[in-house]
Amino acid sequence: MMQTTLRQSLERERDNILGFWDREMTDHRFGGFYGKMSADGKPDPFAIKGSVPMARILQSFSAGALQTGRAEWLAAAERAHSWFRQYCIDPEFGGVVWDTDYAGRCQDPKKEPHAMGIALYALATWQQLRPSTENLNLAKGIYSLLQLYAHDPVRGGYTGACSRDWQPEKPDIKSVYDQLHILEGFTALFAVWQDDTLRHHLHDLIQLFLDKIIDPATHHLHLYFDAEWKPEGNLVSYGKDIQAAWQLQRAAEALGDETLIQRTREAALQLTDAALEGMDTDGGMWYKADLETKHVVEEKRWWPQAEAMVGLVNAWQVSGNEKYLTQAADTWQFIENYILDRELGEWRWGVNRDNTPIPEEKAGFSKGPCHNSRACMEIVRMLQ
């Protein structure tokens, strides 16, 4: 009964989220989608349009159309793909620029590895929906540039930002954010292009998480590293812990490597249990904490709640332990009570300790439809 209720609730919420972005965020004047909407629901038609949120919109509508077959979401995905292909791809040096203005004129051409990973995720999901040689070649090109300029062939993983012409700007910095977004991009790309070299790089990236990024003592992810993979700082992100828990497993499953699948299933439970250290009694998950000082960032942002639900349902399916499914239902109840904006639509940025809303943007550079709509679609798929 709990499974059916949760699945049906998240089917409705998937439709609410994508419906909001289709209805409220479509830029009918300049194309694509608006770059920003304020906390009080006012879109900014002249806001910067980042390649990351534009890719997230493309991926979300493509996934929604794949799951439901709804024509209006296919049309929204087509609009997003057209904008992304025309304005977010660097025509001279390849890859994805960082952002454009409202009309598509490039503002910052730098190359961020995590933006490349998110672009691959979006283009590969579109490829499942509308296969084409042109689109697949575009994704292959981004993948090749990542390997050529951002990959560390000696120590593994991917380095930080590059200039427009791919000169390294942060060669001594590695972060879990780059590695995790590249992981999700490679996983999606492998679903539409079973290339042996891509298989090798995805395998190595999973292995990197298991051997270097997950702390063997705490089972949290280290967030930042030097070039030699020495961890820096003591911050943990509960949302990234539980996001990695299920995404690592999905990556291993995509490869079909039984040994790796078993290792990532074990890691999924360890990461989920570590993330639950950040779960409050009301079902909401805290944002970050410093393990050394025990200081907790007392914010419950929208995206860790979304990732928590997916990770918890995954942990229940891996372990058979009902406590994880119950906690997922409790987190959905928290989202319904405090994160959903029933007046203006979509999800709030988050809430403070006293559950008052954090007055940040409803949509923008750091907030798109990906985490919440994906959580809905993943859980609907898992509980069918």
Side-chain angles (χ1 to χ4, degrees):
M1 182 62 179
M2 186 188 306
Q3 301 169 47
T4 301
T5 300
L6 184 60
R7 177 178 56 79
Q8 291 174 345
S9 296
L10 294 179
E11 282 179 336
R12 289 191 294 270
E13 187 55 26
R14 171 201 64 201
D15 296 351
N16 289 339
I17 294 165
L18 294 180
F20 175 91
W21 282 81
D22 190 22
R23 183 179 64 253
E24 304 294 339
M25 292 296 291
T26 297
D27 186 342
H28 294 285
R29 181 178 179 185
F30 295 108
F33 293 80
Y34 294 129
K36 185 177 181 179
M37 176 182 278
S38 63
D40 58 357
K42 296 182 176 64
D44 181 351
F46 302 110
I48 290 290
K49 295 179 177 179
S51 64
V52 168
M54 295 302 116
R56 289 302 201 191
I57 293 168
L58 169 57
Q59 193 280 327
S60 297
F61 278 115
S62 297
L66 281 166
Q67 187 167 87
T68 68
R70 291 179 63 162
E72 65 268 37
W73 293 346
L74 171 59
E78 288 175 335
R79 167 182 284 271
H81 183 265
S82 177
W83 173 275
F84 191 82
R85 178 67 185 86
Q86 185 171 357
Y87 298 116
C88 296
I89 303 298
D90 187 328
E92 182 175 355
F93 293 99
V96 176
V97 301
W98 183 240
D99 60 30
T100 72
D101 71 3
Y102 59 89
R105 293 176 289 256
C106 181
Q107 300 299 292
D108 187 345
K110 72 179 176 183
K111 306 294 164 59
E112 288 280 359
H114 75 271
M116 305 302 151
I118 293 168
L120 290 177
Y121 188 24
L123 293 170
T125 309
W126 171 256
Q127 183 71 14
Q128 291 187 54
L129 182 64
R130 284 291 182 268
S132 76
T133 301
E134 180 188 5
N135 181 72
L136 184 57
N137 285 341
L138 179 59
K140 290 178 183 179
I142 293 172
Y143 160 71
S144 297
L145 288 166
L146 259 179
Q147 294 305 128
L148 186 61
Y149 294 112
H151 181 239
D152 184 338
V154 176
R155 291 158 294 201
Y158 297 83
T159 56
C162 298
S163 64
R164 183 188 180 190
D165 60 353
W166 294 96
Q167 298 305 304
E169 295 182 344
K170 299 179 180 179
D172 297 325
I173 297 176
K174 293 173 178 171
S175 79
V176 75
Y177 302 100
D178 286 328
Q179 317 312 315
L180 190 57
H181 290 308
I182 291 170
L183 177 88
E184 69 182 1
F186 283 8
T187 303
L189 183 58
F190 191 75
V192 297
W193 180 47
Q194 287 79 46
D195 177 74
D196 287 341
T197 303
L198 174 58
R199 175 188 291 275
H200 171 75
H201 289 139
L202 180 54
H203 183 282
D204 284 356
L205 196 47
I206 298 169
Q207 201 72 47
L208 183 70
F209 271 87
L210 296 173
D211 296 342
K212 301 283 189 183
I213 296 176
I214 301 173
D215 188 311
T218 68
H219 304 299
H220 290 289
L221 301 176
H222 293 294
L223 299 185
Y224 301 101
F225 306 83
D226 67 11
E228 303 288 340
W229 289 105
K230 179 182 177 181
E232 297 184 342
N234 298 291
L235 281 178
V236 296
S237 167
Y238 299 118
K240 286 302 176 190
D241 285 341
I242 205 160
Q243 180 180 348
W246 70 269
Q247 287 195 326
L248 280 170
Q249 186 181 324
R250 295 291 183 277
E253 290 167 350
L255 293 179
D257 184 321
E258 290 300 327
T259 300
L260 210 55
I261 289 170
Q262 184 56 39
R263 287 195 66 192
T264 56
R265 284 166 65 91
E266 293 167 1
L269 294 179
Q270 292 169 340
L271 283 162
T272 299
D273 288 340
L276 287 175
E277 295 169 13
M279 186 67 73
D280 200 3
T281 55
D282 61 5
M285 179 169 279
W286 297 115
Y287 176 45
K288 284 183 179 179
D290 187 309
L291 293 184
E292 184 174 353
T293 66
K294 307 303 181 185
H295 173 72
V296 175
V297 179
E298 294 184 339
E299 296 179 359
K300 295 170 184 173
R301 298 189 180 185
W302 89 100
W303 69 265
Q305 320 312 320
E307 298 298 340
M309 287 196 296
V310 183
L312 288 162
V313 172
N314 183 69
W316 166 65
Q317 292 189 328
V318 169
S319 68
N321 192 327
E322 290 282 335
K323 73 175 185 179
Y324 295 115
L325 182 61
T326 300
Q327 183 62 67
D330 289 347
T331 298
W332 169 241
Q333 188 64 60
F334 173 83
I335 293 168
E336 283 197 295
N337 290 343
Y338 300 110
I339 302 297
L340 298 189
D341 189 336
R342 299 189 182 279
E343 179 183 356
L344 300 175
E346 238 278 350
W347 292 20
R348 297 186 176 95
W349 179 273
V351 294
N352 297 300
R353 172 176 279 280
D354 62 359
N355 289 324
T356 54
I358 298 171
E360 293 287 345
E361 61 195 22
K362 184 174 290 292
F365 222 100
S366 298
K367 188 174 184 296
C370 175
H371 288 283
N372 51 4
S373 70
R374 179 175 67 187
C376 295
M377 287 185 268
E378 282 289 329
I379 295 171
V380 166
R381 182 188 60 79
M382 287 192 283
L383 297 184
Q384 280 178 339

